[in-house]
């Protein structure tokens, strides 16, 4: 396994903005998975116990693939569409993974 990159964490939005942001994330996720071969997984989910929180999980074949992700047209469209939504907190980290194994 080559070194993969995991992005994990959370983003908090004003409760009135969270579901709108989540909708935009669903759309950008569809385009990311369809158009970017370096994306292995891209998932965002509303936290059921916190009305502000969106959980984040992404898996990339390399740091280069993640870096290129931020230059795509769909990320530019996403950023334009989400201007004005109020993020009130964030904790995102990247992890380099050199080995993995199935849990089954």
């Amino acid at each position: 396994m080559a070194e993969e990159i995991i992005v994990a964490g959370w983003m908090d939005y004003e409760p009135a903005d969270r579901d709108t942001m989540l909708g935009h994330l669903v759309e950008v996720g569809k385009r990311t998975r369809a158009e970017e071969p370096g994306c292995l997984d891209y998932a965002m989910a509303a936290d059921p116990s916190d009305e502000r929180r969106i959980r984040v999980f992404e898996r990339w074949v390399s740091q280069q693939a993640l870096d290129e992700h931020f230059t795509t047209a769909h990320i530019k469209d996403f950023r334009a569409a989400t201007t004005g939504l109020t993020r009130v907190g964030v904790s995102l980290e990247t992890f380099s993974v050199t080995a993995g194994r199935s849990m089954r």
Side-chain angles (χ1 to χ4, degrees), residues 14-53:
E14 288 293 337
D17 289 343
R18 184 190 72 174
D19 289 345
T20 301
M21 174 54 86
L22 195 54
H24 288 296
L25 286 166
V26 167
E27 289 306 311
V28 81
K30 287 177 186 176
R31 288 189 64 188
T32 297
R33 289 188 298 273
E35 299 174 20
E36 296 185 58
C39 178
L40 301 171
D41 198 358
Y42 196 93
M44 310 297 166
D47 187 315
S49 64
D50 187 332
E51 66 182 1
R52 302 170 309 150
R53 187 152 291 176

